[in-house]
Amino acid sequence: MAEFQSKIKTIEWIDTYSRMVDQTKFPYAFEYVEITNGQDMFNAIKTMIVRGAPAIGIAGAHGVVLYAQEGAKTISDKAEFISWLLKKADYMASARPTAVNLMWAVEKQKEIIKNSTSDIVGIIEELKINGKKLELEDIEINKKIGDYGAEVVPKGATILTHCNAGALATVGYGTALGVVRSAFANDPTVQVFADETRPRQQGARITTLELTMDGIPVTLITDGMCSYFMKKGMIDMVCVGADRIAANGDAANKIGTYTVAIAAKYHNIPFYVAAPLSTIDTSIKSGDEIVIEERSHDEVTHINGKSICADGVKVINPGFDVTPHELIAGIITEKGILRPDYTKSIAEAFKM
Ligand code: MRU
């Protein structure tokens, strides 16, 4: 399978700090920001300087290292250090509620903290090594997802995607856009239709930017246009990412994804979810148990700082919705493409 390397490294641990692309600046600037303490990392996740489920997982893992470095400056007793750091880790995991990758990666760091037999300096070193390992594994996992996914992309396909599940939502290759990258490497006639993705416009601001940077053809459409193009026969498949997938295959992703899935079903277009196993939360039976982040009303009432509606209008702004498993043709993971019955195929994937 040919490989198409993304030029982007979204988040990276460097010696004593975390360096990430500042995604709040898109599309006007492509800038890196250095995060040097735990509270700044919490804020970076919350304010979406870093965003996308796998990327915020890695950010959370880096955040625990940053807190460990800070704690070591004032705490010398190991037991006290561990108890303080575990509380900070839980705080880090609470920065955003829906993407389970954040809790998953922080939990991986907590296991190191709880099980280490080293002194404080040694624990920090182990946390750094583990953070780096998770970072590098993320790219490898995404490439596997990409290669499995490419097998179901028809020749010359137009793939519709929603939000950004690309290099900029991960460490550097992408899940849904990883599938696009792997497919494009073998078939340069593949192209993408990107939903704008209101309210924060990750499709317009981020997906079009990263695909353009990598020379992959992309057409921007607004969210309401997807069924129009499906009816015209211009969409061959849908591929999106996920923030949390329940044990039965119900998948939470950016608000609006559910609408796309319903439209795809109606038009007989396969709807795929691409996600690593770390996005699957087997502790919950169905999507009903997924906590949906409620975000600032300004995201709906304003565009680029300017109001687009009547002053004081009532607003609701859930950040995610849940696509029921029966609308999903397959879940593309690093262990292969999982098919219905998802309760069975997901359980089996975790045993592999
Ligand atoms: O609010 P965001 O931008 O963090 O939401 C991102 C998404 O919904 C992505 O599709 C999802 O995290 C998958 S990223 C590989």
Side-chain angles (χ1 to χ4, degrees):
M1 182 71 69
E3 192 170 285
F4 192 95
Q5 185 59 57
S6 161
K7 298 181 184 78
I8 300 161
K9 187 90 194 261
T10 302
I11 178 164
E12 185 172 18
W13 182 262
I14 299 170
D15 300 329
T16 56
Y17 63 90
S18 180
R19 193 185 74 147
M20 60 179 67
V21 179
D22 182 348
Q23 305 200 29
T24 60
K25 302 268 169 68
F26 292 155
Y28 309 110
F30 197 102
E31 287 172 8
Y32 288 90
V33 59
E34 291 171 5
I35 306 289
T36 56
N37 68 72
Q39 185 59 51
D40 283 356
M41 182 60 90
F42 180 93
N43 297 342
I45 297 169
K46 199 168 181 62
T47 63
M48 296 171 64
I49 287 173
V50 60
R51 37 66 53 200
I56 65 173
I58 302 305
H62 289 181
V64 176
V65 188
L66 293 170
Y67 267 131
Q69 291 179 161
E70 279 166 75
K73 287 184 189 148
T74 52
I75 308 170
S76 53
D77 177 70
K78 183 179 167 185
E80 195 190 326
F81 175 80
I82 287 176
S83 137
W84 178 87
L85 190 54
L86 288 174
K87 280 192 203 118
K88 291 294 184 192
D90 287 341
Y91 172 65
M92 191 61 67
S94 73
R96 291 188 75 187
T98 304
V100 75
N101 306 64
L102 174 58
M103 298 82 185
W104 174 87
V106 168
E107 197 52 45
K108 293 274 171 210
Q109 294 292 54
K110 282 175 73 180
E111 282 165 22
I112 300 276
I113 300 166
K114 287 187 217 160
N115 299 329
S116 177
T117 53
S118 309
D119 60 7
I120 291 177
V121 175
I123 294 175
I124 296 172
E125 208 42 48
E126 286 173 32
L127 288 171
K128 275 187 195 176
I129 292 168
N130 195 45
K132 198 75 201 172
K133 180 173 155 264
L134 294 174
E135 193 186 300
L136 298 175
E137 273 174 6
D138 186 72
I139 297 181
E140 291 315 308
I141 286 169
N142 281 191
K143 284 182 180 164
K144 284 185 188 154
I145 290 172
D147 289 349
Y148 281 121
E151 288 170 18
V152 292
V153 176
K155 180 143 183 51
T158 298
I159 305 168
L160 176 73
T161 193
H162 191 78
C163 193
N164 173 263
L168 286 157
T170 60
V171 174
Y173 193 74
T175 55
L177 296 191
V179 171
V180 168
R181 284 194 167 87
S182 296
F184 184 80
N186 296 302
D187 174 12
T189 63
V190 160
Q191 59 163 326
V192 172
F193 268 40
D195 277 350
E196 173 196 23
T197 318
R198 273 285 283 153
R200 283 189 71 111
Q201 297 150 313
Q202 288 95 328
R205 293 190 307 111
I206 309 178
T207 295
T208 67
L209 186 79
E210 78 163 74
L211 291 178
T212 303
M213 278 174 78
D214 276 354
I216 300 174
V218 55
T219 302
L220 175 65
I221 62 171
T222 65
D223 298 346
M225 293 178 186
C226 77
S227 27
Y228 174 84
F229 289 112
M230 286 177 181
K231 189 169 185 199
K232 278 188 165 294
M234 290 169 69
I235 308 292
D236 301 296
M237 73 182 271
V238 178
C239 191
V240 296
D243 289 82
R244 191 185 297 228
I245 299 171
N248 69 347
D250 292 350
N253 191 50
K254 182 52 54 195
I255 192 78
T257 303
Y258 180 24
T259 312
V260 177
I262 293 169
K265 187 77 169 179
Y266 183 80
H267 293 97
N268 222 7
I269 295 165
F271 177 96
Y272 285 94
V273 173
L277 290 191
S278 55
T279 302
I280 304 180
D281 182 354
T282 51
S283 76
I284 56 169
K285 283 203 184 87
S286 82
D288 295 344
E289 293 173 66
I290 299 175
V291 179
I292 301 294
E293 181 179 20
E294 179 67 30
R295 297 198 54 89
S296 162
H297 292 179
D298 292 354
E299 292 181 352
V300 179
T301 56
H302 287 67
I303 292 183
N304 287 343
K306 286 214 166 99
S307 173
I308 55 158
C309 56
D311 279 351
V313 71
K314 219 169 135 189
V315 172
I316 313 177
N317 185 20
F320 300 90
D321 57 26
V322 177
T323 297
H325 58 91
E326 55 271 22
L327 299 182
I328 301 171
I331 301 175
I332 307 166
T333 74
E334 69 272 31
K335 296 281 165 88
I337 303 182
L338 313 185
R339 301 281 186 183
D341 166 349
Y342 291 115
T343 305
K344 276 195 194 141
S345 56
I346 287 174
E348 273 157 24
F350 275 92
K351 285 189 211 138
M352 284 163 93

